[in-house]
Every structure is written in C-alpha cells, then in structure tokens.
Amino acid sequence: MSISHPRLHATAYDELQQREEWFRAVFEGSALGISVVNLQGHVMEANAAFQRMVSVPVDELRRIPFVTLGHPDDREHDAALFRRLVDGRLSSYQLELRYLRADGGTFPARLTVSLVRDEDGQPRFCVAMLDDLTQRTRAEAERDGLEERLRHLALHDPLTGLPNRVLLAERMRAAVDSLAHEPGARCAVLFLDLDRFKNVNDSLGHGVGDELLRQVAGRLAACAGPADTVARFGGDEFIIFLPRAAGREQALAVAGQVRKALDAPLQLGSYETYTTATIGIALADGTGGSPDDLLRNADMAMYHAKAVGSVLAVFDGAMHRAVMERLGLETDLRAALAREELRLAFQPIVALATGAVVGAEALVRWDHPLHGHVSPQRFVSLAEDTGLIGALGAWVMGEAARQLAQWRLELPGAAGLEVSVNVSPRQLRDPGLVQAVATTLGEHGLPPAALKLELTESSLVEDPATAAGVLRALKRREVQVYLDDFGTGYSSLSSLHRLPLDALKIDRSFVSEMDGSSTGAYRGAEIVRTIVAMARSLGVRVVAEGVETREQLAALRALGCDYAQGFLISLPLPAAEFEAAFLRGDTPFTWGDPLR
Ligand code: C2E
Ligand code: CA
Ligand code: CA
C-alpha cells in the first residue's frame, strides 16, 4: 500500500490545526494571565484570565500601552525593564507589582515577560504572564498572624496576660546589656509577693484566687510606665522591671504606688477582700550582674522584708551575706542531722523542798565544724522556718528517750528520773506528734510519765483549738505537758484553765528580777507570787527557770515554788558529765544546795 502525497499534506495540516487547538485550550484555560505584547508595548492578544485580572476587555487592551496596566507607582520600573527587553539586552524579566482592580483596589501580582525571537534571532514579540498573588499573600499574612499569636502565647502568662518569665528575661537582658554603654544608668527590679494569697486560694477556691491575681495584675500594670515591664513570675509573685530607673528613689516611688494601688478593696464575685504585697527591690548599674542576679537579689530583699516583718526592703550586701549565711547554715544543719552531729545537754531540775534532782531538761547543742557552738535560739528558729524542725524534734525526742532509758536501766538510783524536751510550735501542728511520742516511749520501754513536753505559751495561743486537742490526746496517754517561758506570752487564766497542763515554768526574766536591791525586785517577786498562786488554783506545779543566785533560790523557796533550774544549780551538761555529777551518787540525788 502506497501513501499518496495529498494525503500526507492533509495529515500535516490536520496536525497543525490540532496543535493550534491544544495551544489555544491551554492559553484560554490557564489560571495565569497570559498576553502577547508587541515590541511597541501594546497587547495583541490576552487570555481570559489576563482580561479578568486587569479588568480590561481585550479590544480595549489593544489600545493602551501594556505598562500602563500596572499601579502608577510601579510603572516606571516596569517600563525600563521592558525597554531593555525589546532592545535585546534582557531575554526576560520578573517583577512583583501591584495592579488595579475594577473596584479601584489593587492586587499583588508577579509579572514575567519574555522575549520571543525569530529564526535569525531578531526580537519579534513578547509574552507577558501575570500571576495573581492575592491568595498567597493572604496565606502569608495568616501565617504571620499565627506566628505572632504563638509568640504571644509563649511569652505571656495565660491567666493575667502579663509577660511571663521568658519575656521578662529577654527584656532584662536587653536592658542590662545596654546599661554597660551608659555610665550612670541604672535599672531596677521590684519583686512582689502577695501576702496570705494561699489563704484566699484555700478558703475561697481557685476561681476566686485566679480572679484576685487578674485584678492585682491589672492594678500593677497601671503603676508602671510604658517602658517598664510588669510580669507574672509564678504563683503569687510579680515583677516590675524598670529598665531606666533614676535610682533607688524612683524604685521606692513605684513601690509606694503599688502599695497604694492595692489599698482599695478587691471585688471578687460576691466577696470583698484586701490584699497586700511584700516588696523586695534590687538595683543594677552597668558594672556587672546578670538579670538572674538582679532577680535573685530582689527576691532576697523580699524574703528579708518578710523575715523582719516589714513590707519593703532594698537589697544590699549585708543582706546578701546574712541570707547566704542562713542558707549555708541550713545546708549544714541538714547535714548535721543526717550525720548525727547534734548532741543533747542536760540541765538538772531540783525539787526545792528536798533539794533532790528529780529530772533534767534536754537542750539541743550543735558544734558547727567551722563556726563552733551555734546557739540553739538561732538554729531552732532556722529549723522552724525551713521545715527541718520535724526531723530535729524527732531526733531530740528519740535521743532524750534513748539516754533516759539507758540511765534508768544502768543506774539504780536513776529509776525515777524524768527528762523534759522542748517542742516547737510547728511540731505541735504536726498531726503525727502524739503518735510519735507514744512510739518513742514504747521503743525505749519508758512509762509515759518519764518524758515531759515543754510547750511555749505562744504555740498554744496561735491555734488554741488544735493545741487543746493535742494536749488532751497527750493527757489520755498520760504524757505530761509543761508550759514554758510562762508570763511572757498572753495566755489568760481562763484559757489556761481549760488546758490539761501539768506545770508552769516561770520565765527566767521574772526570776532575775527577784534579786536583792534591783529596782525590779519587788515587781519580780510579785509576779512570781502571783504565778505560784495561779498555779495552785489550777492545780499545777511551778518550775522556776534561770535561777542564778542564792537570793533567788531562797525567795522561790519562800514563795512555795516547787522546782528550780538554773546556773546556780548547774549549767546544762553533756550526758556523761551530767551522769557523773548527778546520777552516780546515792538516791535521791542531791546537789550542793547552799541553803542547806
Ligand atoms: P528554754 O526552753 O527556755 O531553755 C532554757 C534556756 O535557758 C537554755 O538555753 C538554758 O541553757 C538557759 N538557762 C538555764 N539556766 C539558766 C540561767 O541560770 N541563766 C541563764 N541566763 N540562762 C539559763 P539554751 O540551751 O541556749 O536554749 C535556748 C532556747 O532554745 C530554749 O529555751 C528553747 O526554746 C530552745 N531549745 C533548746 N533546745 C531545744 C530543743 O531541743 N528543741 C526545741 N524546739 N527548742 C530547743
Ligand atoms: Ca524549755
Ligand atoms: Ca524556758
């Protein structure tokens, strides 16, 4: 079979036509705006998308220069590039520019113009393609918005909307860095801690607590200037950062404003409450100190203010040393407890009627490897503040019981010996105390009467209901309780009346006033007389503390006081010395009573 020429011709023609159809379909159907532009810059042909984008029908397009379609501000650049293209100096160019919409608005588009040459390389016409970027720009803006929101979330406290620690750190870092270049410039941090916030949270609920924090945040924000940062640092702690504080005075002025702002009552739903804040202030100049140091110093000042019962403190070096020493001491005390480096000293208690040693008060002692003897006043209060008192108290009780049981067992005459231990206010609040006492007694095979607990008036006054409950529980177990430092607190006779006490220990300040010719002698004797009378009416015994002179001893005896304790009789002694001095003789143990 042969293929004829005309048939071949017809096929080529068909193919051409077909191809033309394809290209037209692509041209017309394209989402890109496509136009053919002659070398004079006039549109010859434009697809539907192009006409739609520029809102000009094609016959009109043919009459206006192509570059005038763009936004007037963008035309010049476009025209310059187009000239270079038709001159043959460029083969194509791409621009992002704005086009006018029918409604007068503009839209962003990417324009790509390429030059088409003939077989000899001569420029023939251009193809301009227009890509509407509106969608893409919108997506970008959305993404930027999300990013912005994400950043906000990451840097702000969700509850109050205030900057959080991260943003605060960022701003402090920038401010502290720039201080280095500005001699004399300073920044300040106010560290605020709301007082008794936990009470609100616990008693009124978290919802009310949250509302309180939000309202406080609003008031604090109002105290700060536009360049300042008010941040929530955590829980009920807020920071006001002044990147350019004129000095201490300005920081104090802001603190004053804060306190005033918190003066007005807060309306929390149906509750009206007040809140106060303790404020610590630290300042920095460009001479070193990181933002962390600054925050830590302000925190330390706040902590110091609380410790001394003040509302405000400005950080200084002495404070730093005091806090560091306390922190060091705390660490050391923890270690001392763990390593059993504490000791008990025993101070004898004698019966005034017979002169016999009936018992001893156990007093804790700590010989610090570096600082030597540390006063119990100091480390007991430290233990109270840090919660170590639980472990300390348990150790004291256990050790006192162990020593007492050993003496009772080994020394025939010590069979009736009693030891009293001091129990701190915080221990009294421990619901496990009564059980712990019972367990300790049981472990060492001691009868309940062998161990007395000395409680101070203040610990009974603080929470009378709890104290009364604990005392009654101890009473049921036949454990005796002495009221320590009596007369220095505020207990009224009526409140004492309801408490099952076994003895009152007259504070040594009154005993020391009983002496000879001192002006307080009369008052001291009067007070002791009254206390003894009160004790009689309550049916409890009386122990006089801090007896240092024979006169005091004689006066106490004359007033009918039951027991005495003090340096006149003996200093508190290490166990071995106490044993040698008082427990090795005949029973009942006596001492060199000067009045006998
Ligand atoms: P406190 O319970 O009133 O203990 C009596 C304090 O008076 C002891 O001081 C004792 O050494 C001192 N003292 C005794 N006789 C005289 C005297 O004639 N003149 C003078 N001026 N002082 C005398 P210490 O051992 O320094 O203890 C001080 C305080 O520390 C105690 O006062 C007590 O509140 C507390 N403490 C001591 N040991 C413990 C303990 O194991 N646990 C608890 N919670 N507190 C303790
Ligand atoms: Ca005591
Ligand atoms: Ca005392």
Side-chain angles (χ1 to χ4, degrees), residues 347 361 364-365 376-377 396 422 484-485 508 546 548 566-567 572:
Q347 186 175 36
E361 177 175 0
V364 67
R365 293 290 176 261
Q377 225 96 299
V396 168
N422 293 283
D484 207 354
D485 302 345
R508 68 166 179 270
E548 294 180 349
F567 293 169

Side-chain angles (χ1 to χ4, degrees), residues 554-571:
L556 288 165
R557 217 173 231 148
L559 289 171
C561 184
D562 301 291
Y563 304 101
Q565 179 186 353
F567 293 169
L568 177 70
I569 301 153
S570 168
L571 288 171

Side-chain angles (χ1 to χ4, degrees), residues 69-136:
L69 294 171
H71 190 278
D73 293 351
D74 297 342
R75 272 176 210 162
E76 212 173 298
H77 191 40
D78 191 9
L81 285 168
F82 188 77
R83 271 196 303 278
R84 297 182 63 191
L85 186 78
V86 296
D87 285 355
R89 280 182 285 159
L90 278 178
S91 59
S92 73
Y93 68 85
Q94 195 168 70
L95 270 182
E96 282 197 12
L97 61 169
R98 288 160 297 166
Y99 279 84
L100 296 167
R101 261 191 232 285
D103 63 6
T106 63
F107 67 95
R110 186 189 297 114
L111 171 70
T112 311
V113 188
S114 343
L115 183 67
V116 180
R117 296 170 192 267
D118 62 16
E119 282 132 42
D120 305 330
Q122 287 307 308
R124 285 196 55 201
F125 59 90
C126 306
V127 176
M129 280 182 291
L130 211 50
D131 188 2
D132 187 342
L133 300 179
T134 310
Q135 287 300 323
R136 205 197 65 188

Side-chain angles (χ1 to χ4, degrees), residues 419-489:
V419 166
S420 59
V421 295
N422 293 283
V423 173
S424 85
R426 187 144 163 185
Q427 279 176 276
L428 194 67
R429 288 200 298 265
D430 175 1
L433 177 72
V434 178
Q435 187 52 52
V437 174
T439 307
T440 305
L441 288 170
E443 272 173 8
H444 298 283
L446 290 169
L451 199 65
K452 326 265 189 229
L453 305 187
E454 295 194 3
L455 305 176
T456 59
E457 264 182 288
S458 55
S459 64
L460 298 185
V461 172
E462 242 171 54
D463 183 358
T466 307
V470 174
L471 259 54
R472 269 184 229 111
L474 288 168
K475 188 84 191 167
R476 277 197 297 276
R477 292 177 187 266
E478 295 172 46
V479 175
Q480 296 189 4
V481 173
Y482 286 10
L483 190 53
D484 207 354
D485 302 345
F486 185 71
T488 58

